[in-house]
Amino acid sequence: DSGVTQTPKHLITATGQRVTLRCSPRSGDLSVYWYQQSLDQGLQFLIQYYNGEERAKGNILERFSAQQFPDLHSELNLSSLELGDSALYFCASSGNGELFFGEGSRLTVL
Amino acid sequence: DQQVKQNSPSLSVQEGRISILNCDYTNSMFDYFLWYKKYPAEGPTFLISISSIKDKNEDGRFTVFLNKSAKHLSLHIVPSQPGDSAVYFCAASARLLTQGGSEKLVFGKGTKLTVNP
């Protein structure tokens, strides 16, 4: 158990819809990272927050947005969903030079 | 542009033998390298790391070798066990991850290791 909690574990929705993925970092960690893993792809960095502020941005689509709240949990919002958005979405928090990952949220867009 | 490349999507070895997983990188700014292991339906978990000031780091059955001039690293597992069957991701960053930093890990696509009994 990494201590990073992600909900929901599975989500099935239709094209054009909007979903929200939620992440709680490990106790004491202030950073949250979001990664996407599509079929046959590695983990693609999307965005990082530190203590409520955006710290780094990767290959995140404009249809996607994220935020980190005062209690340090983070939400990744995916809108106008397309079939290609089907993927595993991982959240991670950092400590001691490594990332600790949650179990991921599997999004299926039909 | 793939900055971290794992050119072998899969590898199959016999139990007790050595598993060698390879990783190449293109960004000369990378100074810190990590290997993660991922089982199905679980998140990736940290396995072992190495910084550029070293060329080898060992932890039990796992050893990572770094060749900076070739921009290549490898993970050796000796002896391999069926429980090692998983997807292994190589990752790199320019600096050690810190709580307040903006550093991020760049991952390869992973190599699926199967250890046969």
Side-chain angles (χ1 to χ4, degrees):
Chain A
D1 182 7
S2 68
V4 177
T5 305
Q6 287 188 250
T7 57
K9 285 192 173 8
H10 301 277
L11 193 53
I12 301 174
T13 189
T15 54
Q17 296 297 305
R18 172 190 168 96
V19 298
T20 297
L21 310 180
R22 182 189 168 106
C23 167
S24 293
R26 293 189 319 158
S27 177
D29 287 351
L30 302 179
S31 283
V32 168
Y33 300 73
W34 285 98
Y35 280 82
Q36 177 193 55
Q37 185 186 15
S38 303
L39 193 65
D40 296 330
Q41 294 294 316
L43 292 154
Q44 301 288 319
F45 171 70
L46 295 178
I47 198 163
Q48 178 207 355
Y49 278 82
Y50 174 75
N51 203 20
E53 293 189 1
E54 182 183 305
R55 191 55 64 102
K57 212 166 187 174
N59 300 322
I60 188 167
L61 299 172
E62 284 192 13
R63 299 184 286 108
F64 296 180
S65 65
Q67 54 184 328
Q68 186 179 27
F69 295 86
D71 67 352
L72 301 177
H73 92 270
S74 177
E75 292 181 356
L76 179 66
N77 301 296
L78 316 175
S79 61
S80 302
L81 286 168
E82 302 175 358
L83 296 177
D85 298 327
S86 295
L88 263 172
Y89 291 85
F90 288 103
C91 167
S93 64
S94 65
N96 298 324
E98 61 180 272
L99 291 182
F100 295 86
F101 285 87
E103 294 185 347
S105 293
R106 181 174 291 280
L107 172 66
T108 302
V109 182
L110 300 176
Chain B
D1 176 28
Q2 273 245 285
Q3 296 185 72
V4 177
K5 300 177 185 178
Q6 293 177 258
N7 292 321
S8 297
S10 62
L11 175 68
S12 183
V13 300
Q14 285 299 120
E15 181 178 5
R17 306 294 284 267
I18 184 170
S19 294
I20 299 177
L21 296 99
N22 293 303
C23 176
D24 297 293
Y25 62 95
T26 57
N27 189 339
S28 58
M29 300 297 290
F30 286 150
D31 246 1
Y32 192 60
F33 305 88
L34 301 86
W35 284 93
Y36 278 78
K37 179 167 73 173
K38 184 183 179 304
Y39 293 117
E42 294 185 12
T45 54
F46 171 74
L47 191 57
I48 193 169
S49 65
I50 189 167
S51 72
S52 61
I53 61 172
K54 291 183 159 186
D55 55 15
K56 176 182 172 182
N57 189 24
E58 201 169 344
D59 184 2
R61 297 184 298 111
F62 302 90
T63 302
V64 56
F65 295 91
L66 175 62
N67 182 334
K68 278 212 81 176
S69 60
K71 295 192 179 67
H72 176 83
L73 62 156
S74 60
L75 174 68
H76 292 210
I77 307 173
V78 183
S80 301
Q81 300 173 353
D84 296 328
S85 297
V87 176
Y88 289 79
F89 290 99
C90 172
S93 66
R95 287 176 297 277
L96 186 69
L97 293 182
T98 58
Q99 275 280 348
S102 59
E103 199 54 58
K104 65 181 188 291
L105 285 183
V106 179
F107 285 83
K109 292 187 177 183
T111 296
K112 183 177 182 179
L113 173 65
T114 303
V115 181
N116 301 302

